Amino acid sequence: DAGITQSPRHKVTETGTPVTLRCHQTENHRYMYWYRQDPGHGLRLIHYSYGVKDTDKGEVSDGYSVSRSKTEDFLLTLESATSSQTSVYFCAIREDGTGETGELFFGEGSRLTVL
Amino acid sequence: AQKVTQAQTEISVVEKEDVTLDCVYETRDTTYYLFWYKQPPSGELVFLIRRNSFDEQNEISGRYSWNFQKSTSSFNFTITASQVVDSAVYFCALSEALNNNAGNMLTFGGGTRLMVKP
């Protein structure tokens, strides 16, 4: 158990509203990631973090921002949600000490619906 | 750029049949890592295996086996004597070495939905 908690698990919101998803880990691993899962696309990387205040963009970062002010929390924000951001969002961590290409462990996912 | 293709979007088998899930990848790196994940109906992602590009030995774990062939850029996954509990979406993923800040940026295939009927 990698100790990853995502909140909220389900959210329905309206176009144009801001949304923040939270990922919390209990073991203070350095690397954290946000992916989105859509049919036919598998999982695609949105943003990742390699330490407190150290973040960078992934493949599909447009419309998203992230913050990491504490090791244990990685926040994903949709400043103005659009229907194309309806998706399931997964947070992941890479356990320290597993090498630069160690496997990722995923949270349970957050299902976001933008009406 | 790296790419992973899982051409089979859905496969349906009857329990006890063997089934192979295909994964083809593209990368310019000589050092890379391949992964398989399972996503059961409950939705979580479960890590199954990691393989590096220098190790072409096939791997077997119980009813699961993996065939890695660099010559065809494939990393196929076989389930022997399938069971209903194997029903899930299976994802193949690729990571190129090394992006020093990113740690491990996995590129996923689109997934294969496996349905095992009793």
Side-chain angles (χ1 to χ4, degrees), chain B residues 15 24 41 44-45 57 74 78 82 89 91 97 100 102-103 114:
Chain B
E15 207 168 19
V24 174
E44 73 272 24
L45 284 150
Q57 280 195 337
S74 64
T78 297
S82 60
V89 180
F91 292 99
N100 290 330
L114 174 65

Side-chain angles (χ1 to χ4, degrees), chain B residues 31-83:
Chain B
T31 302
Y32 52 89
Y33 295 78
L34 296 161
F35 302 77
W36 276 95
Y37 282 83
K38 173 182 180 179
Q39 187 177 42
S42 51
E44 73 272 24
L45 284 150
V46 179
F47 166 74
L48 294 178
I49 189 171
R50 177 180 74 153
R51 174 66 82 200
N52 74 58
S53 54
F54 297 108
D55 183 1
E56 285 193 76
Q57 280 195 337
N58 290 336
E59 178 143 349
I60 298 174
S61 176
R63 296 184 296 107
Y64 294 173
S65 61
W66 291 268
N67 181 285
F68 175 31
Q69 292 196 339
K70 288 177 76 169
S71 61
T72 56
S73 297
S74 64
F75 186 43
N76 296 338
F77 174 30
T78 297
I79 301 175
T80 302
S82 60
Q83 299 176 1

Side-chain angles (χ1 to χ4, degrees), chain A residues 7-25:
Chain A
S7 59
R9 295 289 313 282
H10 301 272
K11 185 171 182 66
V12 180
T13 192
E14 293 189 350
T15 297
T17 60
V19 176
T20 295
L21 305 180
R22 178 181 182 239
C23 178
H24 177 79
Q25 60 154 326

